[in-house]
Amino acid sequence: MPSRQVVESQFLKRQALQGVLALGVRRVIVQFLQTVANVILARILFPQDFGAFALILFLVNIFILISDIGLGAALVQRKEEPTASELRAIFTTHLFLGILAVILMWIFIPVYINLYGRELRAYTGLLYFSALSLFLYNLKIVPNNLLARSIRVPRLVIGEVSELVILEVVTVWLALTGAGVASFVWGFLISRAFA
């Protein structure tokens, strides 16, 4: 009968192989979906729509960086299993950070609009609305890192791919209905909320 160490080693090798395969499949699916969606969107929307969304996404990503203090990574790297109270504390902290990031972004939006002037002034409402994605991002940190900790990469990949499918389908559909830049923002928020 193999020792416990040999069994654990074989399990880790199997999980690592599944993870590598899942990440490879993810890369192909993501590239295909993004290419098809971008070709469709490029035919429907104007270049300034893409530029306005890029400016909105840039601001959101800055506040995502500010709200991520590394607790998720610490959860993955920790040797001992986290207790329920530690998980609640990390989740609550990220919930608070998500709310704080939304408030800080709302405070900063007028400054950001002044930096870019008329290019963003027409999208002020979308900027405020897109800040909600910061809250949704922080809700997913603990569950995603628990999956990463247990080396369940295929499950993580399923979540990421489903989020991308929702994003691209909603964005393309809304762009077809004439939503313009709002199609990007709504697609972004709906995919974060449901995946």
Side-chain angles (χ1 to χ4, degrees), residues 45-186:
L45 300 174
F46 296 105
Q48 60 265 27
D49 293 333
F50 285 93
F53 181 66
L55 290 172
I56 291 169
L57 194 58
F58 175 72
L59 186 62
V60 168
N61 285 334
I62 287 174
F63 282 92
I64 283 176
L65 287 173
I66 292 170
S67 70
D68 189 359
I69 59 173
L71 290 176
L75 185 63
V76 172
Q77 296 173 357
R78 184 181 167 158
K79 279 191 173 188
E80 309 85 32
E81 280 295 317
T83 65
S85 63
E86 289 170 335
L87 289 174
R88 278 193 296 272
I90 293 171
F91 182 80
T92 304
T93 301
H94 275 286
L95 188 67
F96 171 74
L97 288 171
I99 293 168
L100 182 63
V102 169
I103 292 167
L104 289 175
M105 184 170 159
W106 282 347
I107 291 170
F108 186 73
I109 284 173
V111 174
Y112 192 65
I113 289 172
N114 284 335
L115 287 173
Y116 287 98
R118 62 188 167 99
E119 290 89 3
L120 272 181
R121 194 158 279 118
Y123 306 111
T124 302
L126 288 176
L127 268 166
Y128 283 103
F129 192 62
S130 67
L132 297 175
S133 68
L134 298 167
F135 178 73
L136 296 172
Y137 169 80
N138 277 286
L139 288 179
K140 294 179 4 176
I141 288 177
V142 171
N144 284 350
N145 284 310
L146 286 175
L147 286 174
R149 177 181 172 76
S150 61
I151 315 174
R152 293 196 175 130
V153 177
R155 288 186 184 182
L156 272 172
V157 167
I158 289 169
E160 290 175 2
V161 169
S162 63
E163 183 175 347
L164 180 67
V165 168
I166 292 169
L167 167 71
E168 300 300 358
V169 168
V170 169
T171 303
V172 168
W173 179 72
L174 287 172
L176 286 168
T177 64
V181 177
S183 60
F184 287 115
V185 174
W186 275 105

Side-chain angles (χ1 to χ4, degrees), residues 36-48:
V36 169
N38 285 336
V39 166
I40 294 169
L41 291 170
R43 299 232 176 244
I44 300 169
L45 300 174
F46 296 105
Q48 60 265 27

